[in-house]
Amino acid sequence: MSITMDTTLASLVTNKRRVSALKSLGIVTVGDALTYYPFRVTEPVPLRAIREAAPGQQMAFAAVIRDMRVVPMNARRGYRLEATVDDADFARSRRVPGSTARLTFFSYRKSYVDWVSMRLRAGTSVVVSGMPSEYMGQLQFTHPEILTVAPGSAGAGAGLEGYARGAASGNGAFAGSTDPYASVQSAYPPAVAASSGAALKYDADTVREALTRVCRPRPVYHASSRISSEHIHETILGLLWMMGARTSSTPDGQLAGAGSAGIVAPTTDTIAVQNGEENSGTTAESGAEALSQSIPDVLPESVRKAKNLMHRAEAFLAIHDPASTTRFKEAIETLRYEEAFVSQTSLLKARSHAHKSAAHSCPLATDSLRDQFIASLPFSLTAGQQQVIHDIAADLAHDWPMQRLLQGEVGSGKTVVALAAMLQAVDAGYQAVLVAPTQVLAEQHAETIGRMVEQLKPAIPVTLLTGGMKLAARRKALAAASSGEPGIIVATHAAFSKTFQAPHLALVVIDEQHRFGVEQRESLNAKTDDGTTPHLLVMTATPIPRTAAMTWFGDLDISWLTELPGGRKPIRTVVVNEADAATMGRMFAHIRARVDAGERAYIVCPRIDADDEGNEGGSGVSAAAGSARGRAAASGSSARTAAGGRATRAAADAIGIDDPYETFDENGETVARPPLHAVAEIADRLQKLPQFQGIRFATLTGRDKDDVKTQVMADFAGGETPILVSTTVIEVGVDVKQASCIVIFDADRYGLSQLHQLRGRVGRGGTNSWAFLISRAEPGSPAEQRLEVIHHSLDGAEIAQADLEFRGAGDVLGDAQSGGKSSLKLLRVVKDADMIADARTRAEQLLAADPELADEVQLAGAVLDFTRGNETFLTSS
C-alpha cells in the first residue's frame, strides 16, 4: 500500500479509539499528523550513575535487575511492584562506585503488573530514565521509563566508557510511558525476540542504543483527556516508519547509518499496514530514500540550497524524532520558510491572474453621481476617506479588475466610501452589488443607501435581495437584477445562488470579507453576460495588523481608514471580576439608569443554552472556540483536510465565542475551565434582579429565523425591549444609535479583536458609552493581561497587534475570523517579517522565469492547496 500525505489515519491505525481521539484534534490524514507540530521539545536527559543522583533532577543510567517482587496493597485496592537494580558496570564506565536503587510501580490493573513483572525479571539488563527521590533512606525511582536490553550485549557497561562520560547524543527515538495507572506498553514496541524463543521481546539490541533513545530530546504535543502526548508521538513515529523512515537524520544533515539507533517498527496492534515489512533487512539509506519519495520536497532545489535548508522529509524527521534541540530548531525554520514561500507564491500568482482578466472600465464622469453624493453629505469627509475614494476611482477606470481591501475602524465611514464607488459604476451604466453577511445588516444597508441617494438625479434604483424575503418580493428583486438596468443591489448570500443574475455587473463590494469564501466570491464572476470579471472591493472592520495584512492579502491593494468622523466619544471600558458582587450590582444599577434615560444596552453571552453542548451560538461567524482546534489546524495539504475538520469542530463551532486561548499544562494537556455563560441563563437571571424590575428583555441568537431577528432588532431600536441579551450575532453591522452600554460575559475567553468589534456596537449616536468586560480570569494570569490591553486602548491596530502577539497569525486570521483552518502553523507574521520579505523576493524571481510553475510540480500543488485551505480569508483565488 502506497502511503501519502493524503492517506487517512482510519485506513492505517487499527486502534479506533485512537483514531477518534486524533480526529478530535483535527488529525485525520497522514499530512495532518506530520504537521501537528510539538509545542516544545524537552532538553536531553543527562547520564548519571546512581551514586551521582540528585533528588528532583532527571537522569538516565544502565543497570541490571537484581530482584523483583509484587506486593498487594492491603490498605487500598491495587498492587505495588518493586525492583532492585545494580549499576556496577555502568558506574565503572563513569569511574564511580556502583550502587543500587529501587524502581517502584503502582497499578490497579493486574495485567499491567504482570506485564512489568515479565519485563523486569532478575538478570535483565535495563536502561532507566526518571526522577530520583528518597524513600525510607533508599534512592527510589517511581514509574521510571524502562528499556529492556537484549541478552548478549556484553554487560550493561560494555563499550560505554566514552559514551557514558560524554553528553547524550546520537539518533533514534525514546520509549516508554509515564502514566502510572494505565496498562500501556513502550512507545517503541519491542522488536527483538528473546533468545530463548519465549514471547518476551526486548526494547533495544544494545545498552548504547537504549541510552541514546532515553537521553535524546523529546517532542511534547498539545494533547487532550482522550489521548496523551506520548501516544500522539507514538502514532506519528509509526507513520514515519511506514513511509520508509528507519533512522532519524544526524546533526550534520546526512542520514544516519544502519548502525545507528533507529525508529522501531510499530506492532500490528497499532498499525494495520506496514510498508516494506516483508523486507526486514531494509537499510537506513534505502529507508530514507523511500521516505523522501513519500514526502517530496515542496521548495525548489535552488531555493533550498541557497537558504541551506533541509529536505522536507528530513525536516519532519528532525521535528518528530529530534537528535538534538538544535536540529529540532533547524527543522522548524525549514518548514517555517516553506510556509512563507508557499504563501507568497500563492499571493503573487493570484495578483498576476487578476491583472490578466478583463473588466468593465468605469471612468469618472463630469458632474458625476459620485460627486453629487459627496456634495450632499451633511458632513465633511475625512482625509482618509477622500484618499481612498480617489484611489478606488482610479482603479475603476482600468479595464482590468480592481482588487482592493479596505480596512477601517468601526464607524470610520467605510459605507460612504463603498457607496461612492458603487455610484461611479452605476454612472458608467453598470450594476453594483453590495453583499452583507446577515439579513439584518443587508436591510440596514439598503435603508441607509436608499436614504443617501434619494436626492440624486437621475434616480438610482436600490434593490434588496435576501433569502428571508417572501416569494413575490424575491422574484421582483431577481427580475430587477436580471434586467441589467444600472443600479445598486444589496444582498445577502442570496447573491451567490444560481437564480441571481446581474448581466451588467461591474462592481462587487463584500462587507466583512472573512465571512465569504473564494468560491462564493468567484461565483459572482459568472453573473456577467460578457465574461468580464467584476471589480472587487472587500471591507472589514476586524483589525488586522499591517504586517499581517501585507502577508495575507499581498494579492490586493490595501487601504486603511484610521480617522473617526467627528462627534464620536471614546468608549469607557471597565473590566469587572464576576466574583465581585458589589461592583456587579453597581454596574447593573448604572445600566438601569441609562435605560431610564432612553438608552439601550446589549448583554452578550457566548452560548445559547447552558445545557446544550451542540447549540449554535451566534452567527457561526467567529465560532472558533478552542485553540486545540487552532493548533491542530490542518496543514492545508488537501481540500479534504479542511472539510475533514468540520465534523470534529461541530460542538466548538456552535459557540459564538472566538476562544483561541485554551490553557495547557506542561505536558500539553488541556486544563478544564468553567462552562461558558448562555443567553437563556443570563436573561433569566437578570430579569429577576431588583435593578431591572419593570424592564422588558429580548433575546437574539443565530438560531433565530431572519424575520424574528428583524423584529427583535426593531423592538430593541424602538425601545420596547431596551435590553437585548444576545450571542455574538450582533458583532458586525448592527447599528442602534441609542445603544450606550454593552456587557460581555466571559470576556477573558474572547479574542481581543472580537472584543474590540463587540465594543464598537455602542457609542454610535454621540452619547457617552460604556463597555463592561465580565471576567473570571485569575489575578496575574495571561487572560487578565489580555483584558488590560483592551481596557487601556481604543486603537484597533494596537489591539490587533497585541492579539497577534498573544496567539499568532494562524489563529488571528484563520480560526478567529472565519472558523476555518489556517495553513500557516509556524510562520509568525510579525517576528518573521524579514523571512516573508525574502520569500516574496525569491517567489517573484521564480514566477518571472516560470509563471505557471511547470517545472515545480510539488510547489504548484502546495500553492493550490494553500489557496483552498485559506479560502475563507484570501480574497481572490
Side-chain angles (χ1 to χ4, degrees), residues 497-708:
S497 69
K498 294 181 180 179
T499 56
F500 175 72
Q501 296 296 325
H504 294 163
L505 183 61
L507 173 64
V508 175
V509 180
I510 302 287
D511 193 13
E512 288 308 320
Q513 55 83 21
H514 55 274
R515 311 284 174 111
F516 305 99
V518 168
E519 292 176 2
Q520 289 178 310
R521 290 189 290 267
E522 288 297 307
S523 72
L524 292 173
N525 293 345
K527 309 298 183 184
T528 60
D529 60 355
D530 52 10
T532 58
T533 299
H535 298 281
L536 178 67
L537 174 65
V538 292
M539 306 190 298
T540 181
T542 301
I544 304 171
R546 286 177 181 259
T547 52
M550 294 301 292
T551 301
W552 283 103
F553 305 110
D555 58 333
L556 304 178
D557 297 306
I558 306 175
S559 298
W560 279 271
L561 289 177
T562 57
E563 303 170 72
L564 292 180
R568 293 287 302 264
K569 294 183 178 179
I571 302 168
R572 303 174 194 178
T573 304
V574 182
V575 178
V576 181
N577 189 318
E578 189 173 342
D580 186 349
T583 303
M584 292 284 286
R586 290 196 300 272
M587 175 188 73
F588 290 135
H590 172 80
I591 293 172
R592 175 59 188 260
R594 302 322 306 161
V595 168
D596 289 344
E599 297 168 12
R600 315 280 185 270
Y602 296 104
I603 311 288
V604 178
C605 305
R607 298 171 62 193
I608 297 177
D609 300 316
D611 58 350
D612 185 0
E613 290 295 331
N615 65 48
E616 180 213 353
S619 60
V621 173
S622 304
S627 66
R629 209 175 63 246
R631 291 181 174 86
S635 65
S637 58
S638 70
R640 254 194 355 246
T641 301
R646 291 185 190 117
T648 69
R649 299 194 308 265
D653 282 348
I655 300 172
I657 192 172
D658 164 17
D659 180 12
Y661 302 118
E662 205 149 23
T663 306
F664 298 89
D665 63 20
E666 63 179 7
N667 292 320
E669 300 212 8
T670 53
V671 176
R673 294 184 293 178
L676 299 167
H677 288 299
V679 168
E681 163 213 352
I682 292 298
D684 182 62
R685 283 171 51 186
L686 296 187
Q687 290 180 82
K688 295 176 181 177
L689 293 177
Q691 292 95 327
F692 295 123
Q693 291 300 308
I695 297 294
R696 290 186 60 193
F697 282 66
T699 61
L700 182 68
T701 72
R703 187 186 293 168
D704 296 328
K705 295 181 178 179
D706 285 338
D707 57 343
V708 174

Side-chain angles (χ1 to χ4, degrees), residues 1-3 7 11-14 188-191 201 234-235 237-246 263-280 282 290 294:
M1 177 181 177
S2 177
I3 301 172
T7 303
S11 65
L12 302 176
V13 179
T14 55
Y188 289 86
K201 294 183 178 181
E234 175 187 347
T235 303
L237 288 172
L239 295 173
L240 286 170
W241 190 93
M242 293 168 63
M243 298 176 81
R246 298 298 182 269
I263 298 178
V264 179
T267 64
T268 53
D269 292 338
T270 305
I271 299 294
V273 180
Q274 295 187 9
N275 183 32
E277 62 184 346
E278 71 287 348
N279 181 11
S280 59
T282 301
S294 300

Side-chain angles (χ1 to χ4, degrees), residues 105-133:
F105 300 83
F106 300 93
S107 180
Y108 294 115
R109 299 183 60 178
K110 185 66 163 58
S111 59
Y112 172 74
V113 173
D114 290 342
W115 177 72
V116 176
S117 300
M118 181 178 65
R119 302 181 73 226
L120 302 187
R121 293 182 298 190
T124 302
S125 294
V126 294
V127 165
V128 180
S129 174
M131 191 86 69
S133 61

Side-chain angles (χ1 to χ4, degrees), residues 31-32 34-37 336 339 630-636 810 822-827:
D32 296 345
L34 296 186
T35 56
Y36 191 79
Y37 302 119
R336 182 173 285 143
E339 288 184 356
R631 291 181 174 86
S635 65
S822 165
S823 289
L824 293 194
K825 305 176 73 176
L826 299 173
L827 194 66

Side-chain angles (χ1 to χ4, degrees), residues 145-167:
E145 178 183 337
I146 301 289
L147 288 187
T148 57
V149 181
S153 59
L160 292 176
E161 286 77 7
Y163 183 81
R165 288 194 299 272

Side-chain angles (χ1 to χ4, degrees), residues 189-376:
V192 184
S195 57
S196 65
L200 179 63
K201 294 183 178 181
Y202 295 94
D203 299 319
D205 290 327
T206 66
V207 172
R208 181 182 182 116
E209 177 188 336
L211 286 171
T212 298
R213 290 186 189 172
V214 300
C215 290
R216 69 184 304 151
R218 306 184 185 193
V220 183
Y221 302 82
H222 284 300
S224 70
S225 59
R226 298 181 62 187
I227 186 168
S228 67
S229 173
E230 291 279 354
H231 283 160
I232 294 171
H233 188 229
E234 175 187 347
T235 303
I236 293 173
L237 288 172
L239 295 173
L240 286 170
W241 190 93
M242 293 168 63
M243 298 176 81
R246 298 298 182 269
T247 62
S248 184
S249 56
T250 58
D252 64 0
Q254 302 301 316
L255 288 163
S260 300
I263 298 178
V264 179
T267 64
T268 53
D269 292 338
T270 305
I271 299 294
V273 180
Q274 295 187 9
N275 183 32
E277 62 184 346
E278 71 287 348
N279 181 11
S280 59
T282 301
T283 65
E285 288 78 5
S286 63
E289 182 180 350
L291 184 64
S292 63
Q293 291 173 354
S294 300
I295 308 175
D297 214 348
V298 169
L299 288 174
E301 185 71 9
S302 58
V303 173
R304 187 169 68 84
K305 287 185 175 178
K307 297 294 293 180
N308 194 27
L309 302 173
M310 299 179 187
H311 187 284
R312 192 177 201 222
E314 187 182 7
F316 280 136
L317 271 175
I319 286 173
H320 297 296
D321 188 25
S324 66
T325 53
T326 300
R327 193 69 176 152
F328 175 84
K329 292 174 183 176
E330 290 173 354
I332 289 290
E333 284 301 295
T334 291
L335 294 179
R336 182 173 285 143
Y337 190 88
E338 178 188 288
E339 288 184 356
F341 195 86
V342 170
S343 66
Q344 293 309 302
T345 304
S346 177
L347 293 170
L348 289 169
K349 278 185 64 67
R351 191 179 186 92
S352 173
H353 172 74
H355 283 186
K356 292 177 181 177
S357 303
H360 292 296
S361 175
C362 303
L364 193 62
T366 305
D367 190 27
S368 64
L369 287 171
R370 189 204 74 171
D371 292 342
Q372 289 184 44
F373 161 65
I374 293 174
S376 70

Side-chain angles (χ1 to χ4, degrees), residues 705-764:
K705 295 181 178 179
D706 285 338
D707 57 343
V708 174
K709 291 178 184 176
T710 301
Q711 186 59 51
V712 168
M713 290 306 303
D715 291 345
F716 177 64
E720 294 183 35
T721 52
I723 297 180
L724 178 64
V725 185
S726 78
T727 58
T728 54
V729 70
I730 59 115
E731 177 184 352
V732 174
V734 173
D735 188 4
V736 177
K737 298 195 181 324
Q738 299 90 343
S740 64
C741 295
I742 184 167
V743 177
I744 304 172
F745 280 91
D746 295 305
D748 53 302
R749 306 275 288 275
Y750 287 76
L752 296 183
S753 293
Q754 190 178 29
L755 287 174
H756 184 61
Q757 280 275 71
L758 289 167
R759 180 170 61 179
R761 295 308 101 206
V762 299
R764 304 171 73 86

